[in-house]
Structures are given as C-alpha cells and as structure tokens.
C-alpha cells in the first residue's frame, strides 16, 4: 500500500499525457482536488474514491455497476500532509544516519551533509521528471525559522549577552551596514565595468543584494558553532550578532525595495531610514517583551493545569513573532526578547516536567527545522532558476569575504578601547571566519519581485554560491582551525556552590566600589535593575512563595535537582556523578568544642525542605563517607544530652542497614552498600526520607526503608498540615523531617512548590542533565 | 598654591607608578576623595557610610572594612586603621584596576593572586590566615541579608555545604577525627580558579570626574 502510494506520488505526473480529463497543472495542488471531486460526482456510488491514473474509470462506471469497494486508493486527499510528513521523516532519518557514522560527522559538519542530501534528493526528483519544490519564503519565515530562533532566545545566556551587548551591537549594526554598503557599492562598480554584460544592474539593486548577503545567518552559525564547542565569549559574540543584525537587514531590505519601486531617493528618505531602523528594532523588542510578560503572568496561574503550560510558552512566543511581522518589525528580535524576558519568571512558576517538555520540544522543533532548511537549500539549488555569471558570482564571493575581514578588524580596533577583556587577533579571526551566510539570505532574495528585479535569478545563483562556500568551506575548516589556533574551548565544569557565592559576592562588591567611586557603571545599573525586579516585577509574575526566593537558594534547588536526576540516570550504581571520593564530613569542619545551644527556631516547612535539600547535596556528593559518617557521628559524647535517643537511633540504623542490603539489585561494591542503597532510594519517590539525629553540632541522617511505608510512620513527625516539630528533638542542630509518602502528597496544596517539585523530579525519567547553559542563574 | 600643586603632582606621580593608575585617573580619584571627606584630609568610616547607594548593599560593612584593613595596604602587620589618607584610598582601589592590555601571563597570574588575596582578606576578618566556618557563615548571611524571609539556618546550611565542598575538593581524604581548620589562601585560590577574577573584578575608572560633582550621594 505504501509503495503503491509512493508510486502514485511519482508517477501521477506522467498521466496527463494519457488522460486529458486530469488537468495538466501537475504542480498545483489547489486544482487537483476539485477535479477529483468533479470526477467522483459522476460516479454512481457517492463514496469518494478514485484512481487518478485510471483513465477508464469513467467509461467503466457508465457501463457496469461497481461493487462495494473494500479497498480503495485515495491519495489526493492526504497528499499535502503526506508530503510534508515524508519530508520531515526524510530529514530526521538523515540526521539519524549521520550520527550513526561518527567518523563522517566529525569531519563534516551536519549542515554540509544535509545540503548534499538535499542536492541528491533534488536531483532524484528532477530525474523523475517532476519539478522539485523550492523553499517557499512563506514556509520558511513562518514555519521553519521561528522554532530555531525561539530555541536560541529562550536559552540565551543572559549574563554573557548583556556583558557583551555593546560589542554585539557594534558588530551587528555597524558591521552589517559596512558589509552591505561595501559589497553593494563594489558590485555596482564591477557591474559598470566594460566587458561584463551587467550594465542593467543599477545601484539600488546592488545595494539591496549587498544588504541581504551581508547578514550573518543565525541558523548556519548555530549549526556549525554548536559542534565546535568554542568558548562562550566568542560563541555569544558571533551568535548575538547573527540575531541582532536581523533588524538591520529588515530595514535595509524594505528600504531598498521601496526605493526601487519609487525610483528616486532623497535625504529625507535616508533620514527616515534611520528612524525606521530604530523603530523596527526597538519596536520588535517591545512587542516581544510585552508578550513575554503576558506569558509570565499567565504562567503564574497554571498551577492547576500543568499539562498545557508548554503550550502557553509556544503560542505566546509565536504570536510575538507574528505580531511583529504584521508591522514589519523585526520578528527575530521580538522572539528573542519574548523568550529572554519570560524565561526567569516562567521557570519559577512551571513544573519541572513542563520545563523538560519545553526544552525538548524546542530542541526537537529547532532541530527538525534546521535539518529541513538545509535539505531544502540543496533541493532549491537543483530546482533553480539559475543564471550563472562568472564575474558577478566570483566578485560577490570575494567582496563578501574581504568586507567581513575588514569590518571585523576595524570594529575590534574601536571596540577594544572600551572593553576590559580585549579581543585578541585569534578571537578576531574566529569572528570573521564564523560569519556564515544561510537560508535567510536565500529566502529574502527569493521574495524579490522579478518585475522590479530582472536580475533576480543571477542574485539567487550568487547567493547560493556564497552560502555553499561559507557553509562548506568555512564550516568544514573551522573545526581544525580552532584546534590549530588553540582557541579556548567551552569549559565543561559544573558550577559549584563556592563559585556561585563568590559570583554574587563579587557583584555586590563591585557595585559597592562603584558607589564609593561615584561611578555609575555597569554594575550600578545592573544592581538597580535587580532591585527593581525583586521589589516589583517578581511579585507580579511569580506565584506564591517562589517570588521571595533569593537567587542562591534557587541555585541550590537547581543543583539539587540536577544531581538527583543524574543519580537516577546513572542507575545509582557504580558511576557516581561527581566522583570525588572524600572522607570529609561535617564533623571535620565543626569546631571541636560544642558551641552553646541555640534557641529553638521555628522552622517552616518550606525552609525545612530547603535545608533538607541543601544537606542532601552534601550527602549525594560525598557518598563514600557515609559509612564512617554514620558510625562516627553515632558515637556520642556521653556528656551530651540525648544519649538514649542516640542509642535507639543507632539500633534502628543497624536494622535498616540490614534491610537495605536485601533490596540491592545491583551487586554493589561492599564498601558502599549504604550509599548504593541510598542511591536506590533516590529513584523511589516514596522512599526519600531523611531524619537527622540531633547532636550538636553535627548533622546526622537516618535511612528509611523503601519498601516499608509503616516504617515511614515510625519516624514520621511530619504531617501535611505542617505541625511543629517535636520540641524534644530540637537541640539546636538541624532536624530534618521525613517527607510524607506520595499518597499523602497528592492533596498537598500546589503552592508548596519546593517539595512537590522535588518529588516530581524524582519520579521523572529525566533528561540527561547535559545542558550547561541552563546552569546559569536566571537573572544576573 | 603653586608649591603645593607641584608637590601634589609629584605625589601623584609616585602614586601612579605604585598603583598603575594614570595621572588623570588619580586626579579624578582625588576629587572624589575630597568630595567624600568633605575636604578633610583623612577618610573615616562615617564618610563611607554616608554614601546613600552603599546603604542598600548587603555587604557594605565588609566593603568599608576592606578600606581600613592594613593587610590591603601592603603592610605586614594586621589590624585596621581608623582613618586613611588619600594614598591608602587609591591603593585599595588599585585592586580593581583592569589589567593593562599587554600584560604577560606571569603578570596576569600575579594580578589574579592579588585580587584573590583582597577577597580572602575580606572574608578572613580575624586575620588568622584561614577562613573558618563561622566567618564563611557570616559571609553567606550577609549575602542573604537583603531577603528578610531567609533565616539564619539557611545561611548556616549553605555555608556548611560550601565549606564541605571546599574541604572535599582540596583535602579529599580526611579521617573522622581530623579537624579541618578552615580555608587557607591556597585552597581559596584553588576553588575559585574557574572564576576569572582577573577579568571580572574590575571597574572602569574613566568617567569619574563628571560623577563626583553630583550631589545627593
């Protein structure tokens, strides 16, 4: 059946010669269905079936009564979705195939391979006699581009972005303008030369062409840079530039298009162009920010309908893009602004599973889009229409490269005067070399009206050549060059607690010093923004308790969850996430003499949960020491109070340890059986129970058997109503409570975010926690 | 006035050589110093506390203390001064000067070490050369002090976890009876080696002069 459909797809087009009833318009979908229906109406049974290539059908119907069709073929109805799905399937299979061949994908970047596949497919289609589909600009701009940009915008590392914003803007705005005019002007000069028959190309067309081709393409940059793992500064510079130059491109494009229609330019027009640029870029950002705030606000109320949370994110962002496009504002900037604005608030509001869903959907869509774009580029190349002009194409290529290099060098010279961290020549080389062109340029030229731009085909050819060159040559060689030049790569280290503390400390310190010096610098304004955000914005946009959560605690939550997920992923067995065998325990750190008893604090549930989680971090990290930890902390100082308690707990400890060993399914190294057991527990949502035995000043932990809910009750002093912990337990140290089992948890109110979140996370099969860029605190 | 002018220029030149600022920057800083102290010769803690923006900073006490800490002023002795002169003011601020573009890797390492030393001194308030748990705890508490809902226990827990991490990373294996005194400077450098202090701990000193004339600071 499938093959039958497939054959139909390819061979339908040959039938017009035999069947005059079927219209000769082979590519036009719109006319085919009506024709089909017209045909079926003439048949006696009103069941919609037909074989388009069966020319005898009509004759057959007139003579005999057809028997009831048990199996019939109706391809036309499903043609459009079918073809789309086929393309998507093809793209995904290709992607799959590349990754199964690691040698190939390490030499050639994926984008190159995909273009080659596109070329092959296009050639195949052409061989069959059908005209291959071209990358329609509408499809590209409305369906293929937004997922990629949203993915980029949502996961944009805000801190690095804002720190380098000046540099990025310089490259994006001034660099693109320079490129556009340089390339456009020089091309016009070349066209005016004798010997080329390009006299028909006027200045405006050249400038338009220059403006389109000078824009660095975010899709191509992402595709290539993602694979080379370059250091964050360079990545954000090139990538940020590719995102922000969209505004420039849009303005220049519309400007030159209008001028070509109008015929004349005046100074006012030039001035209006500048105003237009400001409106387009700022307008795009404002539109995006509005939608972002709306999304954040909506997410505040979604605690009861968690399932559709991701939908809000996607729809609001898409609406931002479309709204910006309505007014000819920069859709890309709107999308970036929307994603970046809503992310901190949305992430504080939505559930962990929604967060995972969003992340995965975005990655999936952007990956598919990206693949489709490159394949279609290949197919469109085969489809044409082409007009090859050696001089023009070569000149374009040369000028593009030269303009890029000159632009980068010149701009860096200026920028370095204002930067603390100067850009070295190695950096400059990578920035210049990373200026890849891509499908946006192609689509923009494709949109040109051939009436006003008779040389459109030549432009198309030239653009495709430049795109091919940058993607193939530059894309393939950038990785060995990066290695050769020993450019700093991305650091894969995890952020540690100390680094986080000190980063914040530094922020405050630098703000303070700036205040002392009386200098309204970068830190001052950042601090003001943070304070404004904390005071007003967070209260509006974040639900419940989380709005008051300081960044440090939020960071802990994130770290904790990440570690828990890693634990689950690694199966809790042999490989430990941050395998740092260390026998240091809290006991080592505390001073030997016991400090005075503290006054008993009234801990709220949420705070206890925080504390518990924080301490869990310690336990997960230093697994090895658990055995010594338990034994030694249970050897109490006989002069301490609560000795009896301690003895009882020690007994329980031993019992539980015995029980634990029964539940091990993985043959564990004997030295860590309690730790492996604990790891096993970690994957069981019911089981996470930790109870501290209070003994000043150490923190103790007690296991609860996973399989025995009754034993949970034994040590369970934690009811869902949040009763106060028993006074006798508290002796000034920390006491941790067992979280009640999953059943009880269900009717907990949803605004107790920290606990359900954690529990949910444990039962979540969990993504691999590999994305480093999400490790960033939300707001710097 | 002429004599003191030339004397001052001479002093500025010395300072410029010692700290690496340019003469213009030192002039600007001088103006700021005079503004802060209301034309007196020495700076006291109250002068710094009067800065209104600084009042909102959670770690202001430590920042102010850092100015009066003898260790930051290159002296071998410990303790703090009650008032400092312009020279000491500039010396403390020189820790935040961005490194010049053509510094070698060796020099960069030194600069990084100096800056880390400054941070270390800020934490190590009792001058004993190690950051103990209590001191670190105080640091975290101050950082979280702007959030009223977070109590001392959370700060304690975070600082405990942080100390544990330092100990785990730097010392590794410790027997249960050994006692971890605190974070020494070498360990401090080790745990913060990924934070690029030499590039982050800088402020621009170039547009000071306009600002010092602003009132209401």
């Amino acid at each position: 059946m499938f093959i039958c459909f497939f054959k139909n797809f390819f061979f339908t087009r040959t039938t017009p010669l035999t069947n005059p009833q079927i219209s000769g318009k082979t590519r036009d979908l719109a006319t085919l269905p009506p024709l089909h229906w017209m045909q079926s109406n003439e048949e006696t049974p009103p069941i919609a079936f037909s074989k388009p290539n069966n020319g005898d059908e009509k004759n057959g119907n007139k003579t005999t009564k057809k028997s009831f069709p048990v199996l019939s073929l109706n391809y036309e109805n499903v043609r459009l979705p079918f073809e789309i799905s086929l393309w998507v399937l093809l793209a995904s299979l290709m992607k799959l195939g590349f990754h199964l061949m690691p040698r190939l994908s390490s030499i050639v970047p994926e984008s190159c391979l995909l273009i080659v596949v596109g070329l092959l497919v296009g050639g195949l289609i052409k061989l069959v006699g059908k005209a291959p589909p071209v990358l329609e600009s509408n499809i590209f701009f409305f369906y293929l581009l937004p997922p990629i940009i949203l993915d980029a915008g949502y996961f944009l590392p805000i801190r690095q972005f804002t720190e380098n914003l000046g540099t990025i803007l310089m490259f994006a705005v001034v660099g693109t303008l320079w490129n556009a005019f340089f390339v456009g002007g020089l091309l016009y000069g070349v066209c005016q030369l004798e010997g080329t028959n390009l006299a028909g190309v006027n200045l405006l067309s050249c400038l338009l062409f220059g403006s389109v081709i000078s824009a660095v393409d975010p899709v191509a940059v992402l595709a290539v840079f993602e694979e080379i793992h370059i250091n964050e500064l360079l990545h954000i510079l090139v990538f940020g530039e590719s995102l922000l130059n969209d505004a420039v491109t849009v303005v220049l494009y519309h400007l030159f298009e209008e001028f070509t229609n109008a015929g004349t330019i005046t100074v006012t027009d030039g001035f209006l162009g500048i105003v237009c640029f400001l409106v387009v870029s700022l307008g795009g950002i404002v539109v995006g920010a509005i939608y972002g705030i709306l999304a954040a606000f909506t997410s505040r109320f979604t605690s009861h309908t968690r399932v559709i949370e991701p939908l809000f994110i996607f729809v609001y962002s898409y609406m931002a893009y479309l709204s910006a496009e309505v007014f000819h504002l920069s859709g890309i900037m709107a999308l970036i602004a929307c994603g970046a604005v809503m992310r901190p608030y949305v992430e504080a509001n939505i559930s962990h599973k929604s967060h995972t869903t969003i992340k995965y959907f975005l990655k999936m869509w952007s990956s598919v889009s990206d693949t489709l774009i490159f394949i279609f580029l290949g197919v469109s190349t085969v489809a044409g229409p082409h007009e090859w002009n050696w001089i023009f194409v070569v000149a374009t290529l040369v000028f593009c490269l030269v303009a890029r290099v000159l632009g980068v060098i010149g701009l860096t010279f200026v920028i370095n005067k204002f930067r603390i961290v100067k850009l070295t020549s190695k950096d400059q080389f990578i920035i210049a070399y990373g200026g890849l062109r891509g499908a946006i340029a192609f689509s923009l030229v494709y949109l040109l009206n051939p009436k006003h731009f008779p040389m459109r085909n030549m432009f198309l050819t030239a653009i495709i050549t430049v795109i091919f060159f940058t993607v193939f040559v530059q894309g393939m060689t950038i990785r060995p060059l990066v290695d050769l030049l020993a450019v700093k790569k991305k650091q894969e280290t995890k952020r540690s607690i100390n680094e986080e503390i000190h980063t914040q400390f530094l922020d405050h310190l630098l703000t303070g010093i700036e205040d002392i010096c009386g200098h309204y610098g970068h830190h001052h304004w950042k601090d003001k923004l943070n304070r404004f955000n904390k005071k007003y914005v967070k209260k509006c946009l974040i639900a419940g308790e989380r709005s008051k959560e300081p960044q440090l605690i939020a960071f802990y939550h994130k770290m904790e969850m990440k570690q828990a997920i890693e634990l689950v992923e690694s199966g809790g067995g042999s490989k430990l996430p941050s395998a740092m065998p260390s026998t240091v325990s809290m006991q080592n750190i505390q001073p030997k003499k016991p400090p005075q008893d503290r006054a008993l604090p009234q801990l709220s549930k949420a705070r206890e949960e925080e504390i518990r989680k924080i301490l869990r971090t310690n336990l997960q990290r230093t697994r090895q020491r658990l055995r010594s930890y338990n034994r030694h902390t249970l050897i109490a100082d006989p002069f301490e109070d609560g000795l009896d308690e301690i003895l009882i707990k020690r007994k329980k400890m031993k019992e539980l340890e015995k029980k634990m060993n029964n539940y091990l399914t993985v043959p564990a190294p004997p030295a860590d059986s309690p730790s492996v057991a604990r790891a096993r527990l970690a994957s069981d949502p019911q089981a996470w129970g930790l109870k501290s035995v209070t003994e000043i000043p150490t923190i103790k932990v007690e296991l609860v058997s996973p399989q025995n809910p009754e034993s949970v009750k034994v040590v369970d002093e934690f009811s869902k109503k949040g009763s106060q912990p028993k006074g006798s337990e508290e002796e000034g140290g920390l006491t941790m409570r067992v979280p009640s089992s999953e059943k009880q948890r269900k009717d907990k109110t949803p605004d107790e975010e920290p606990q359900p979140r954690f529990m949910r996370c444990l039962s979540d099969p969990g993504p691999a926690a590999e994305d480093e860029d999400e490790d960033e605190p939300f707001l710097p | 006035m002429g004599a003191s002018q030339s004397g001052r220029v001479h002093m500025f030149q010395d300072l410029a050589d010692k700290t690496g600022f340019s003469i213009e920057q030192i002039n600007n800083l001088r103006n700021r110093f005079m503004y802060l102290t209301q034309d007196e010769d020495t700076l006291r803690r109250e002068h710094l506390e009067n800065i209104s923006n600084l009042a909102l900073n959670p770690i202001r006490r430590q920042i102010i203390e850092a100015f009066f800490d003898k260790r930051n002023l290159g002296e071998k002795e410990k303790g703090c001064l009650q008032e400092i002169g312009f020279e000491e003011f500039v010396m403390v601020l020189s820790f935040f000067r961005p490194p010049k573009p053509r510094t070698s890797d060796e020099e960069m390492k030194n600069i990084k070490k100096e800056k880390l030393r400054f941070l270390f001194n800020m934490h190590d308030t009792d001058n004993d050369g190690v950051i103990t748990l209590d001191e670190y705890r105080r640091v975290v508490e101050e950082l979280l002090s702007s959030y009223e809902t977070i109590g001392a226990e959370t700060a304690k827990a975070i600082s405990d976890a942080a100390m544990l991490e330092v100990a785990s990373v730097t010392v590794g294996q410790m027997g249960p009876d050994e006692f971890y005194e605190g974070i020494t400077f070498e360990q401090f450098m080790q745990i913060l080696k990924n934070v690029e202090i030499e590039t982050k701990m800088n402020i621009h000193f170039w547009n000071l002069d306009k600002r010092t004339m602003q009132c209401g600071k």
Side-chain angles (χ1 to χ4, degrees):
Chain A
M1 193 77 141
F2 204 76
I3 302 179
C4 197
F5 280 151
F6 210 71
K7 267 200 223 157
N8 245 347
F9 170 54
F10 275 119
F11 294 124
T12 298
R13 302 296 158 249
T14 62
T15 58
L17 301 173
T18 59
N19 191 351
Q21 275 109 345
I22 298 186
S23 145
K25 280 194 195 166
T26 58
R27 262 204 293 174
D28 197 344
L29 295 172
T31 57
L32 217 41
L35 208 61
H36 154 75
W37 279 110
M38 270 162 48
Q39 239 186 330
S40 71
N41 283 341
E42 295 175 35
E43 296 161 7
T44 35
I47 297 171
F49 72 101
S50 78
K51 279 191 184 173
N53 58 353
N54 186 356
D56 295 319
E57 199 183 64
K58 273 180 70 174
N59 301 331
N61 278 341
K62 284 186 181 147
T63 49
T64 61
K65 176 183 180 300
K66 267 207 168 269
S67 51
F68 188 82
V70 174
L71 199 62
S72 53
L73 195 64
N74 180 6
Y75 179 65
E76 289 313 314
N77 262 358
V78 294
R79 221 182 78 107
L80 186 58
F82 195 82
E83 286 187 6
I84 295 176
S85 308
L86 267 183
W87 278 111
V88 174
L89 195 61
L90 172 73
S92 315
L93 286 173
M94 285 301 125
K95 217 177 163 73
L96 200 68
F98 296 150
H99 286 283
L100 288 175
M101 298 189 284
R103 278 210 62 215
L104 192 59
S105 53
S106 62
I107 307 174
V108 185
E110 213 176 78
S111 36
C112 302
L113 292 170
L114 288 169
I115 294 186
V116 168
V117 166
L119 286 172
L120 288 173
V121 171
L124 209 67
I125 297 182
K126 209 163 194 178
L127 269 180
V128 187
K130 172 177 172 334
V134 190
L135 183 61
E136 296 274 345
S137 295
N138 262 7
I139 299 179
F140 176 73
F141 279 115
F142 291 143
Y143 302 115
L144 291 179
L145 190 61
I148 301 178
I149 304 295
L150 180 60
D151 180 37
Y154 194 76
F155 294 116
L156 195 66
I158 298 281
R159 201 188 177 105
Q160 276 98 333
F161 190 73
T162 47
E163 278 175 12
N164 294 301
L165 193 60
T167 315
I168 294 178
L169 277 176
M170 274 289 269
F171 277 123
V173 176
V174 179
T176 312
L177 281 173
W178 155 259
N179 277 356
F181 284 105
F182 185 84
V183 172
L186 282 186
L187 272 179
Y188 180 64
V190 163
C191 291
Q192 298 301 100
L193 284 179
E194 316 280 326
T196 71
N197 44 353
L198 293 169
V201 185
N202 57 353
L203 179 63
L204 275 176
S205 310
C206 278
L207 284 176
L208 178 64
F209 181 70
S211 71
V212 164
I213 204 165
S214 61
V216 177
D217 188 81
V219 178
V221 163
L222 264 180
V224 170
F225 269 53
E226 225 170 49
E227 299 182 355
I228 61 179
H229 296 298
I230 208 163
N231 66 9
E232 285 178 342
L233 173 67
L234 285 178
H235 187 261
I236 197 70
L237 282 180
V238 180
F239 182 59
E241 178 197 345
S242 70
L243 289 175
L244 294 185
N245 67 14
D246 179 62
V248 181
T249 313
V250 162
V251 169
L252 284 178
Y253 183 80
H254 286 300
L255 210 68
F256 290 133
E257 218 186 3
E258 285 296 317
F259 289 168
T260 314
N261 292 347
T264 55
I265 334 164
T266 63
V267 177
T268 351
D269 289 331
F271 178 66
L272 281 178
I274 299 178
V275 174
C276 182
F277 166 70
L278 288 171
V279 166
V280 160
S281 48
L282 294 176
I285 294 179
V286 165
V287 167
I290 293 177
Y291 274 100
I293 293 181
L294 278 177
F297 192 65
T298 313
S299 73
R300 189 180 164 179
F301 303 106
T302 55
S303 43
H304 296 282
T305 45
R306 294 276 179 203
V307 196
I308 55 173
E309 272 172 344
L311 189 66
F312 281 118
I313 310 299
F314 298 140
V315 172
Y316 272 116
S317 314
Y318 197 46
M319 293 279 286
Y321 181 75
L322 294 175
S323 312
E325 287 289 330
V326 165
F327 298 104
H328 275 303
L329 303 174
S330 166
I332 290 185
M333 291 182 89
L335 211 45
I336 301 284
C338 184
V341 164
M342 75 176 160
R343 185 178 173 206
Y345 309 108
V346 157
E347 291 213 333
N349 282 332
I350 62 177
S351 71
H352 182 74
K353 280 197 172 138
S354 298
H355 173 75
T356 309
T357 309
I358 292 177
K359 181 171 106 169
Y360 268 71
F361 260 92
L362 282 179
K363 298 283 178 210
M364 180 187 80
W365 269 328
S366 64
S367 167
V368 168
S369 283
D370 172 280
T371 316
L372 275 176
I373 289 177
F374 282 114
I375 290 187
F376 267 115
L377 259 182
V379 173
S380 310
T381 312
V382 173
H386 287 301
E387 197 184 303
W388 183 267
N389 185 317
W390 272 105
I391 302 180
F392 189 76
V393 171
V394 171
T396 311
L397 195 56
V398 168
F399 292 149
C400 275
L401 291 173
V402 168
R404 176 84 183 154
V405 171
L406 287 178
V408 168
I409 293 181
L411 281 176
T412 319
F413 180 72
V414 174
I415 288 173
N416 269 345
K417 294 201 203 294
F418 298 95
R419 281 181 66 89
I420 298 181
V421 183
K422 315 284 180 197
L423 294 173
T424 64
S425 41
K426 258 196 265 180
D427 294 336
Q428 291 176 38
F429 177 75
I430 296 292
I431 294 175
Y433 209 67
L436 305 172
R437 315 300 201 266
I440 293 186
F442 177 82
S443 308
L444 282 175
V445 169
Y446 199 76
L447 271 178
L448 287 177
N449 192 337
K451 265 194 297 196
H452 294 140
F453 296 95
M455 66 297 297
R456 171 175 167 267
N457 295 340
M458 189 173 66
F459 285 172
L460 270 179
T461 313
I463 281 208
I464 286 189
T465 314
V466 173
I467 293 178
F468 271 42
F469 183 83
T470 56
V471 171
F472 277 95
V473 175
Q474 286 178 237
M476 270 201 268
T477 54
I478 200 169
R479 198 190 309 215
L481 275 174
V482 161
D483 290 332
L484 193 69
L485 292 175
V487 179
K488 259 200 307 187
K489 294 252 177 129
K490 191 156 110 158
Q491 284 178 323
E492 298 291 347
T493 53
K494 281 203 218 293
R495 248 189 124 116
S496 72
I497 309 174
N498 283 293
E499 284 178 10
E500 177 67 20
I501 292 180
H502 280 100
T503 311
Q504 287 211 22
F505 190 82
L506 258 182
D507 275 344
H508 288 298
L509 174 63
L510 290 172
T511 312
I513 297 287
E514 279 188 359
D515 288 332
I516 290 180
C517 291
H519 170 66
Y520 283 145
H522 179 68
H523 291 96
H524 178 89
W525 295 115
K526 210 161 69 154
D527 193 57
K528 272 220 161 102
L529 184 67
N530 273 343
R531 237 177 285 138
F532 172 73
N533 185 30
K534 190 175 85 173
K535 204 158 159 206
Y536 300 112
V537 183
K538 271 191 181 173
K539 292 221 177 81
C540 279
L541 298 179
I542 300 185
E545 279 288 308
R546 295 296 303 276
S547 63
K548 301 200 202 75
E549 189 180 64
Q551 192 181 318
L552 209 50
I553 307 284
F555 178 73
Y556 272 114
H557 286 166
K558 262 194 155 180
M559 254 179 55
E560 281 247 325
M561 273 199 260
K562 256 197 167 180
Q563 286 188 338
I565 290 171
E566 274 175 25
L567 204 53
V568 171
E569 290 261 307
S570 69
S574 35
K575 189 151 194 310
L576 304 170
S578 56
M580 186 72 77
S582 153
T583 52
V584 181
S585 76
M586 281 316 298
Q587 186 194 17
N588 293 115
I589 295 179
Q590 302 287 349
K592 281 200 183 115
K593 63 164 172 53
Q596 279 69 26
D597 283 2
R598 287 228 192 119
L600 169 64
Q602 301 285 326
L603 293 177
S604 80
K605 252 194 290 188
R607 220 171 293 161
E608 277 182 5
E609 183 59 40
E610 283 164 12
I611 295 167
R612 187 185 313 136
K613 281 187 209 153
I614 288 163
L615 291 171
R616 226 176 269 144
T617 316
N618 308 340
L619 298 168
Q620 289 166 2
R621 282 266 184 88
T622 58
R623 217 167 302 289
Q624 289 281 359
R625 62 177 165 86
L626 264 172
R627 179 159 276 221
S628 63
Y629 185 98
N630 287 331
R631 299 253 173 85
H632 288 101
T633 54
L634 287 175
I635 295 173
D637 182 349
F639 299 114
E640 294 273 352
D641 290 336
L643 177 60
D644 299 334
E645 239 175 48
I646 292 165
L647 287 174
I648 294 172
K649 283 175 178 146
R650 186 187 194 174
K651 220 168 39 175
K652 270 191 216 146
M653 204 51 232
K654 290 210 178 117
E655 285 173 60
L656 288 171
E657 266 191 56
K658 256 187 262 165
K659 273 193 203 156
M660 218 56 56
N661 291 333
N662 296 339
Y663 298 129
L664 286 181
T665 53
V666 174
D672 341 66
S673 46
S675 49
V676 177
R678 186 162 307 236
R680 279 272 143 237
L681 288 180
S683 51
D684 185 341
Q686 279 195 330
W688 252 117
L690 298 172
K691 172 137 177 52
S692 75
V693 176
T694 57
E695 181 186 49
I696 307 156
T698 57
I699 299 160
K700 297 185 195 55
V701 155
E702 178 159 341
L703 288 176
V704 175
S705 158
Q707 304 295 337
N708 196 352
E710 282 71 51
S711 68
V712 171
K713 280 198 221 114
V714 167
V715 291
D716 181 17
E717 285 133 16
F718 190 45
S719 85
K720 53 187 160 130
K721 297 307 168 200
S723 63
Q724 290 303 324
K726 284 194 191 151
S728 62
E729 293 286 319
E730 299 278 51
E731 284 179 351
L734 283 168
T735 305
M736 299 198 292
R737 299 271 170 263
V738 172
S740 48
S741 64
E742 190 72 20
K743 302 189 268 310
Q744 286 174 299
R745 179 100 355 167
K746 282 206 179 87
D747 35 4
K748 266 215 199 318
T749 52
D751 62 2
E752 297 195 56
E753 279 303 336
Q755 294 157 341
R757 251 179 111 115
F758 191 59
M759 298 306 275
R760 234 175 271 131
C761 120
L762 284 179
S763 55
D764 191 343
E770 78 264 352
D771 275 286
E772 285 303 323
D773 52 350
E774 296 172 64
D775 220 356
E776 289 281 312
F778 318 130
L779 280 174
Chain B
M1 205 57 185
S4 62
Q5 278 279 22
S6 63
R8 192 184 296 167
V9 168
H10 190 63
M11 181 178 79
F12 284 5
Q13 190 57 50
D14 279 342
L15 265 182
D17 294 333
K18 219 177 358 172
T19 57
F21 283 119
S22 69
I23 301 287
E24 193 192 323
Q25 286 170 333
I26 293 193
N27 256 325
N28 293 339
L29 287 174
R30 176 77 185 168
N31 290 337
R32 180 67 185 169
F33 185 78
M34 296 319 264
Y35 175 77
L36 284 176
T37 62
Q38 280 129 23
D39 290 327
E40 290 177 35
D41 277 331
T42 55
L43 186 75
R44 286 190 299 277
R45 288 186 174 81
E46 305 85 65
H47 295 137
L48 287 179
E49 279 162 14
N50 282 338
I51 303 175
S52 52
N53 277 337
L54 202 58
L56 299 166
N57 200 316
I59 57 170
R60 63 185 166 284
R61 236 183 333 115
Q62 292 182 320
I63 299 179
I64 294 178
E65 277 307 313
F67 274 90
F68 298 92
D69 193 341
K70 279 195 195 160
R71 290 172 295 175
N72 293 333
L73 302 174
E75 301 180 30
K76 291 295 173 231
E77 29 183 282
K78 306 178 176 179
C80 13
L81 302 165
Q82 287 307 314
E83 47 186 30
I84 55 171
F86 177 60
E87 202 176 309
E88 287 86 16
F89 183 69
V90 174
M91 276 178 70
V92 171
L93 285 178
S94 71
F95 282 101
F96 296 93
R97 187 179 55 78
K100 295 228 164 57
R102 302 211 196 285
T103 42
S104 63
D105 281 337
E106 237 352 274
E107 284 175 32
M108 280 298 230
K109 276 208 197 106
N110 275 339
I111 291 177
K112 181 169 181 170
K113 193 168 177 183
E114 279 173 21
K115 294 194 198 257
L116 281 175
R117 185 87 219 175
F118 184 84
L119 277 183
F120 188 81
N121 289 341
M122 280 184 83
H123 295 322
D124 181 22
T125 44
D126 60 0
N127 289 348
D128 59 359
V130 280
I131 304 179
T132 61
L133 183 62
D134 281 331
E135 288 168 349
Y136 213 44
R137 208 172 276 168
R138 230 172 294 134
V139 170
V140 177
E141 273 171 20
E142 294 223 327
L143 267 183
L144 294 176
S145 62
S146 50
Y147 297 90
E148 309 80 28
T149 53
I150 303 299
E153 299 73 35
T154 320
K156 179 174 179 297
I158 295 179
S159 54
D160 287 347
M163 284 289 281
L164 198 56
E165 186 189 87
V166 177
S168 312
V169 168
T170 54
V171 179
Q173 307 284 338
M174 271 179 88
D177 291 330
E178 286 173 37
F179 177 57
Y180 181 66
E181 293 283 339
I183 311 179
T184 64
F185 183 54
E186 283 67 34
Q187 294 170 348
F188 191 70
M189 280 204 298
Q190 193 180 346
I191 56 172
L192 287 186
K193 67 176 185 294
N194 284 334
V195 179
E196 291 180 350
I197 291 282
E198 66 271 20
T199 49
K200 290 209 176 143
M201 190 164 139
N202 298 313
I203 68 171
H204 285 296
F205 281 100
W206 23 271
N207 56 352
L208 287 175
D209 46 342
K210 311 186 200 74
R211 306 283 174 234
T212 54
M213 297 315 150
Q214 289 203 6
C215 39
K217 289 241 11 192

